[in-house]
PDB file of all heavy atoms in Angstrom:
ATOM      1  N   ARG A 286      12.223   4.244  11.100  1.00 88.00           N
ATOM      2  CA  ARG A 286      12.975   4.706  10.156  1.00 88.00           C
ATOM      3  C   ARG A 286      12.910   6.243  10.450  1.00 88.00           C
ATOM      4  O   ARG A 286      12.300   7.011   9.717  1.00 88.00           O
ATOM      5  CB  ARG A 286      12.484   4.462   8.830  1.00 88.00           C
ATOM      6  CG  ARG A 286      12.702   2.945   8.516  1.00 88.00           C
ATOM      7  CD  ARG A 286      12.154   2.519   7.134  1.00 88.00           C
ATOM      8  NE  ARG A 286      12.476   1.206   6.865  1.00 88.00           N
ATOM      9  CZ  ARG A 286      12.064   0.540   5.704  1.00 88.00           C
ATOM     10  NH1 ARG A 286      11.352   1.226   4.797  1.00 88.00           N
ATOM     11  NH2 ARG A 286      12.298  -0.742   5.642  1.00 88.00           N
ATOM     12  N   SER A 287      13.660   6.710  11.380  1.00 88.00           N
ATOM     13  CA  SER A 287      13.447   8.210  11.807  1.00 88.00           C
ATOM     14  C   SER A 287      13.964   9.087  10.661  1.00 88.00           C
ATOM     15  O   SER A 287      13.380  10.219  10.505  1.00 88.00           O
ATOM     16  CB  SER A 287      14.161   8.478  13.033  1.00 88.00           C
ATOM     17  OG  SER A 287      15.551   8.101  13.070  1.00 88.00           O
ATOM     18  N   SER A 288      15.161   8.817   9.987  1.00 90.00           N
ATOM     19  CA  SER A 288      15.668   9.829   9.031  1.00 90.00           C
ATOM     20  C   SER A 288      14.524   9.933   7.766  1.00 90.00           C
ATOM     21  O   SER A 288      14.454  10.969   7.286  1.00 90.00           O
ATOM     22  CB  SER A 288      16.940   9.313   8.421  1.00 90.00           C
ATOM     23  OG  SER A 288      16.895   8.080   7.806  1.00 90.00           O
ATOM     24  N   GLU A 289      13.974   8.787   7.545  1.00 90.00           N
ATOM     25  CA  GLU A 289      12.895   8.840   6.470  1.00 90.00           C
ATOM     26  C   GLU A 289      11.699   9.689   6.888  1.00 90.00           C
ATOM     27  O   GLU A 289      11.160  10.418   6.185  1.00 90.00           O
ATOM     28  CB  GLU A 289      12.513   7.441   6.095  1.00 90.00           C
ATOM     29  CG  GLU A 289      11.643   7.199   4.761  1.00 90.00           C
ATOM     30  CD  GLU A 289      11.395   5.822   4.483  1.00 90.00           C
ATOM     31  OE1 GLU A 289      12.227   4.926   4.784  1.00 90.00           O
ATOM     32  OE2 GLU A 289      10.283   5.549   3.927  1.00 90.00           O
ATOM     33  N   ALA A 290      11.377   9.379   8.205  1.00 94.00           N
ATOM     34  CA  ALA A 290      10.212  10.169   8.722  1.00 94.00           C
ATOM     35  C   ALA A 290      10.526  11.732   8.754  1.00 94.00           C
ATOM     36  O   ALA A 290       9.622  12.427   8.371  1.00 94.00           O
ATOM     37  CB  ALA A 290       9.938   9.731  10.095  1.00 94.00           C
ATOM     38  N   TYR A 291      11.685  11.941   9.070  1.00 95.00           N
ATOM     39  CA  TYR A 291      12.022  13.485   9.037  1.00 95.00           C
ATOM     40  C   TYR A 291      11.927  14.014   7.596  1.00 95.00           C
ATOM     41  O   TYR A 291      11.539  15.201   7.441  1.00 95.00           O
ATOM     42  CB  TYR A 291      13.437  13.722   9.684  1.00 95.00           C
ATOM     43  CG  TYR A 291      13.466  13.477  11.235  1.00 95.00           C
ATOM     44  CD1 TYR A 291      14.438  12.700  11.697  1.00 95.00           C
ATOM     45  CD2 TYR A 291      12.401  13.976  12.112  1.00 95.00           C
ATOM     46  CE1 TYR A 291      14.448  12.520  13.135  1.00 95.00           C
ATOM     47  CE2 TYR A 291      12.547  13.797  13.412  1.00 95.00           C
ATOM     48  CZ  TYR A 291      13.432  13.076  13.884  1.00 95.00           C
ATOM     49  OH  TYR A 291      13.576  12.779  15.305  1.00 95.00           O
ATOM     50  N   THR A 292      12.398  13.300   6.598  1.00 94.00           N
ATOM     51  CA  THR A 292      12.463  13.666   5.304  1.00 94.00           C
ATOM     52  C   THR A 292      10.934  13.879   4.820  1.00 94.00           C
ATOM     53  O   THR A 292      10.611  14.954   4.270  1.00 94.00           O
ATOM     54  CB  THR A 292      12.923  12.636   4.339  1.00 94.00           C
ATOM     55  OG1 THR A 292      14.394  12.460   4.812  1.00 94.00           O
ATOM     56  CG2 THR A 292      13.023  12.945   3.013  1.00 94.00           C
ATOM     57  N   PHE A 293      10.028  12.940   5.297  1.00 95.00           N
ATOM     58  CA  PHE A 293       8.644  13.237   4.861  1.00 95.00           C
ATOM     59  C   PHE A 293       8.014  14.358   5.596  1.00 95.00           C
ATOM     60  O   PHE A 293       7.073  15.100   5.109  1.00 95.00           O
ATOM     61  CB  PHE A 293       7.898  11.948   4.969  1.00 95.00           C
ATOM     62  CG  PHE A 293       8.129  10.906   3.986  1.00 95.00           C
ATOM     63  CD1 PHE A 293       8.496   9.572   4.477  1.00 95.00           C
ATOM     64  CD2 PHE A 293       8.094  11.034   2.725  1.00 95.00           C
ATOM     65  CE1 PHE A 293       8.688   8.649   3.573  1.00 95.00           C
ATOM     66  CE2 PHE A 293       8.438  10.078   1.752  1.00 95.00           C
ATOM     67  CZ  PHE A 293       8.715   8.859   2.196  1.00 95.00           C
ATOM     68  N   ILE A 294       8.432  14.711   6.829  1.00 96.00           N
ATOM     69  CA  ILE A 294       7.840  15.788   7.493  1.00 96.00           C
ATOM     70  C   ILE A 294       8.392  17.065   6.832  1.00 96.00           C
ATOM     71  O   ILE A 294       7.571  17.944   6.589  1.00 96.00           O
ATOM     72  CB  ILE A 294       8.461  15.831   9.058  1.00 96.00           C
ATOM     73  CG1 ILE A 294       7.595  14.669   9.701  1.00 96.00           C
ATOM     74  CG2 ILE A 294       8.161  17.081   9.629  1.00 96.00           C
ATOM     75  CD1 ILE A 294       8.101  14.439  11.102  1.00 96.00           C
ATOM     76  N   GLY A 295       9.658  17.123   6.401  1.00 95.00           N
ATOM     77  CA  GLY A 295      10.122  18.348   5.673  1.00 95.00           C
ATOM     78  C   GLY A 295       9.364  18.432   4.395  1.00 95.00           C
ATOM     79  O   GLY A 295       9.066  19.549   3.977  1.00 95.00           O
ATOM     80  N   LEU A 296       9.055  17.426   3.722  1.00 95.00           N
ATOM     81  CA  LEU A 296       8.308  17.521   2.443  1.00 95.00           C
ATOM     82  C   LEU A 296       6.827  18.030   2.708  1.00 95.00           C
ATOM     83  O   LEU A 296       6.279  18.759   1.980  1.00 95.00           O
ATOM     84  CB  LEU A 296       8.158  16.195   1.667  1.00 95.00           C
ATOM     85  CG  LEU A 296       9.583  15.717   1.043  1.00 95.00           C
ATOM     86  CD1 LEU A 296       9.544  14.393   0.473  1.00 95.00           C
ATOM     87  CD2 LEU A 296      10.004  16.684  -0.092  1.00 95.00           C
ATOM     88  N   ALA A 297       6.260  17.540   3.826  1.00 96.00           N
ATOM     89  CA  ALA A 297       4.998  17.981   4.170  1.00 96.00           C
ATOM     90  C   ALA A 297       4.993  19.490   4.386  1.00 96.00           C
ATOM     91  O   ALA A 297       4.045  20.177   4.004  1.00 96.00           O
ATOM     92  CB  ALA A 297       4.531  17.303   5.465  1.00 96.00           C
ATOM     93  N   ILE A 298       6.001  19.977   5.112  1.00 95.00           N
ATOM     94  CA  ILE A 298       6.175  21.448   5.368  1.00 95.00           C
ATOM     95  C   ILE A 298       6.280  22.288   4.050  1.00 95.00           C
ATOM     96  O   ILE A 298       5.619  23.225   3.895  1.00 95.00           O
ATOM     97  CB  ILE A 298       7.249  21.675   6.287  1.00 95.00           C
ATOM     98  CG1 ILE A 298       6.911  21.133   7.729  1.00 95.00           C
ATOM     99  CG2 ILE A 298       7.614  23.197   6.342  1.00 95.00           C
ATOM    100  CD1 ILE A 298       8.089  21.076   8.706  1.00 95.00           C
ATOM    101  N   LEU A 299       7.086  21.678   3.131  1.00 94.00           N
ATOM    102  CA  LEU A 299       7.368  22.316   1.923  1.00 94.00           C
ATOM    103  C   LEU A 299       6.114  22.426   1.053  1.00 94.00           C
ATOM    104  O   LEU A 299       5.758  23.456   0.453  1.00 94.00           O
ATOM    105  CB  LEU A 299       8.464  21.558   1.129  1.00 94.00           C
ATOM    106  CG  LEU A 299       8.727  22.127  -0.233  1.00 94.00           C
ATOM    107  CD1 LEU A 299       9.325  23.611  -0.200  1.00 94.00           C
ATOM    108  CD2 LEU A 299       9.694  21.196  -0.985  1.00 94.00           C
ATOM    109  N   PHE A 300       5.291  21.302   0.926  1.00 93.00           N
ATOM    110  CA  PHE A 300       4.144  21.378   0.079  1.00 93.00           C
ATOM    111  C   PHE A 300       2.802  21.781   0.833  1.00 93.00           C
ATOM    112  O   PHE A 300       1.724  21.952   0.184  1.00 93.00           O
ATOM    113  CB  PHE A 300       3.900  19.888  -0.426  1.00 93.00           C
ATOM    114  CG  PHE A 300       4.709  19.560  -1.512  1.00 93.00           C
ATOM    115  CD1 PHE A 300       5.936  18.936  -1.307  1.00 93.00           C
ATOM    116  CD2 PHE A 300       4.507  19.801  -2.808  1.00 93.00           C
ATOM    117  CE1 PHE A 300       6.823  18.502  -2.237  1.00 93.00           C
ATOM    118  CE2 PHE A 300       5.291  19.530  -3.851  1.00 93.00           C
ATOM    119  CZ  PHE A 300       6.583  18.921  -3.624  1.00 93.00           C
ATOM    120  N   GLN A 301       2.842  22.041   2.102  1.00 93.00           N
ATOM    121  CA  GLN A 301       1.639  22.474   2.872  1.00 93.00           C
ATOM    122  C   GLN A 301       0.886  23.708   2.201  1.00 93.00           C
ATOM    123  O   GLN A 301       1.721  24.617   1.743  1.00 93.00           O
ATOM    124  CB  GLN A 301       1.835  22.740   4.320  1.00 93.00           C
ATOM    125  CG  GLN A 301       2.898  23.668   4.697  1.00 93.00           C
ATOM    126  CD  GLN A 301       2.541  25.020   4.680  1.00 93.00           C
ATOM    127  OE1 GLN A 301       1.355  25.403   4.826  1.00 93.00           O
ATOM    128  NE2 GLN A 301       3.390  25.987   4.331  1.00 93.00           N
TER     129      GLN A 301
END
Side-chain angles (χ1 to χ4, degrees):
R286 295 182 178 176
S287 59
S288 61
E289 190 176 332
Y291 292 132
T292 300
F293 287 129
I294 289 171
L296 289 171
I298 292 169
L299 178 64
F300 282 94
Q301 57 80 28

